[in-house]
């Protein structure tokens, strides 16, 4: 791994660690002022944009021989993804009660719930961002162009899945005729979590993008971390922990639909039957 600016990257890691601490500190203060802490989900996407920008600027100062166009590309990809995600989550949560995950966490551990939300998410954010930081350093030689094309292509697949999946679910939720039904149309017919699958693809694309140098292998630690979290952590596994007990029809949806990777349904789609009127939230059963 000769020729890679390791010292500059190490300094970048320190700078971004401070940047993440500032972002999460501000988010915590805002959450305390509002007495509502699900706003950290909006900060999640924006935090990566901050990391990308800080990394690109720092790399320009510490590694002037590196590739400027790659830095611009990395910032653009992260900004498009993170900006859209923040906008989507903010719009989804506007005018609704606080996300029950944060309400439950505060009820279970009132003395420590702030520490479990902000420092934990900040640490995960910093680890996941490793490929973004690494991609900003070093030149483009050898396989650099090939992995760049492959990384952008994979990022694009993920972005389409995440964006289209969220849009399909939002339209489904907005129609009162679907109250009580399970969203099993469009991309949701092939995976129960097209948005999470898309998120994972976005990060694998960024991970591949950082492989312009073998140093990028370190960044795959962050990609593996976000993928594990989406599948087994606060993503799909947490969402589905008790949803089948709360929502009729979801257990059948689980039996016929892939949990993560898009695949054809395992059994034919059942005929739709009208659901009786329901009171309470009109969110579909597979709303993240």
């Amino acid at each position: 791994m000769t020729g890679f600016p390791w010292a500059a990257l190490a300094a970048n890691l320190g700078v971004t660690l401070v940047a993440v601490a500032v972002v999460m500190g501000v988010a915590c203060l805002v959450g305390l002022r509002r007495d509502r802490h699900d706003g950290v989900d909006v900060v999640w996407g924006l935090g990566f944009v901050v990391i990308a920008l800080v990394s690109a600027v720092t790399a320009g100062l510490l590694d002037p021989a590196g590739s400027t166009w790659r830095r611009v590309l990395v910032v653009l990809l992260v900004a498009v993804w993170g900006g859209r995600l923040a906008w989507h989550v903010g719009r989804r949560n506007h005018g609704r009660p606080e996300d029950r995950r944060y309400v439950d966490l505060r009820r279970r551990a009132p003395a420590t719930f702030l520490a479990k939300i902000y420092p934990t998410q900040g640490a995960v954010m910093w680890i996941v961002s490793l490929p973004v930081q690494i991609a900003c350093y070093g030149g483009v030689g050898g396989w650099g162009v090939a992995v760049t094309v492959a990384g952008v292509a994979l990022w694009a697949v993920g972005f389409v899945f995440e964006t289209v999946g969220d849009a399909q679910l939002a339209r489904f939720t907005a129609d009162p005729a679907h109250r009580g039904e399970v969203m099993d149309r469009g991309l949701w017919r092939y995976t129960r979590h097209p948005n999470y699958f898309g998120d994972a693809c976005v990060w694998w694309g960024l991970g591949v993008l950082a492989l312009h140098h073998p140093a990028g292998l370190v960044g795959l630690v962050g990609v593996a971390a976000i993928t594990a979290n989406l599948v087994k952590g606060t993503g799909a596994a947490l969402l589905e922990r008790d949803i089948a007990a709360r929502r009729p029809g979801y257990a059948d949806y689980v039996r016929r639909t892939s949990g993560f990777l898009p695949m054809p349904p395992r059994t034919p789609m059942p005929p739709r039957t009208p659901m009786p009127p329901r009171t309470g939230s009109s969110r579909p059963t597979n709303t993240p």
Side-chain angles (χ1 to χ4, degrees):
M1 297 188 188
T2 59
F4 190 80
W6 286 103
L9 175 62
N12 194 101
L13 294 173
V15 172
T16 55
L17 190 61
V18 173
V20 169
V22 171
V23 168
M24 284 299 169
V26 172
C28 182
L29 291 175
V30 173
L32 288 170
R33 183 176 180 82
R34 299 176 64 218
D35 193 30
R36 174 173 177 157
H37 296 277
D38 55 354
V40 73
D41 291 340
V42 176
V43 176
W44 175 257
L46 297 179
F48 287 107
V49 180
V50 172
I51 292 173
L53 286 169
V54 169
S55 297
V57 172
T58 305
L61 297 173
L62 301 181
D63 182 28
S67 175
T68 300
W69 69 264
R70 279 182 62 84
R71 295 166 187 158
V72 173
L73 176 64
V74 169
V75 171
L76 179 63
L77 294 179
V78 175
V80 170
W81 169 81
R84 188 216 70 90
L85 181 61
W87 173 81
H88 169 73
V89 174
R91 185 184 66 166
R92 185 190 67 192
N93 291 349
H94 180 69
R96 292 179 173 177
E98 184 174 15
D99 190 305
R100 63 185 177 86
R101 293 174 300 167
Y102 297 98
V103 175
D104 292 344
L105 181 60
R106 188 192 304 214
R107 185 178 64 250
R108 293 196 307 268
T112 61
F113 86 101
L114 287 178
K116 291 182 178 180
I117 294 174
Y118 296 98
T120 301
Q121 290 212 31
V124 173
M125 179 187 295
W126 185 80
I127 293 171
V128 171
S129 72
L130 286 176
V132 171
Q133 301 187 58
I134 294 170
C136 289
Y137 285 83
V140 180
W143 57 29
V145 174
V147 298
T148 298
V149 172
V152 171
L154 187 53
W155 177 94
V157 170
F159 187 75
V160 168
F161 258 87
E162 189 171 4
T163 303
V164 173
D166 283 338
Q168 289 175 339
L169 184 59
R171 287 196 299 269
F172 186 85
T173 306
D175 188 346
H178 296 149
R179 178 173 295 184
E181 293 184 2
V182 174
M183 172 53 165
D184 56 4
R185 307 171 186 182
L187 295 178
W188 300 82
R189 183 171 185 260
Y190 304 99
T191 168
R192 302 197 299 273
H193 305 284
N195 45 359
Y196 292 154
F197 170 76
D199 210 8
C201 285
V202 163
W203 281 99
W204 278 102
L206 293 171
V208 170
L209 194 68
L211 294 177
H212 64 297
H213 187 277
L217 292 171
V218 177
L220 297 184
V221 173
V223 179
I226 188 62
T227 304
N229 188 58
L230 289 169
V231 177
K232 297 295 184 181
T234 59
L238 179 62
L239 178 66
E240 295 190 340
R241 185 170 57 188
D242 61 351
I243 196 171
R246 292 185 290 106
R247 302 286 188 173
Y250 199 84
D252 183 64
Y253 178 62
V254 169
R255 283 191 292 270
R256 68 176 186 268
T257 309
S258 172
F260 198 75
L261 296 175
M263 298 180 67
R266 286 184 283 270
T267 59
M269 299 288 289
R272 297 187 181 277
T273 55
M275 296 293 294
R278 295 172 58 85
T279 59
S281 172
S282 62
R283 291 188 185 185
T285 65
N286 36 356
T287 301

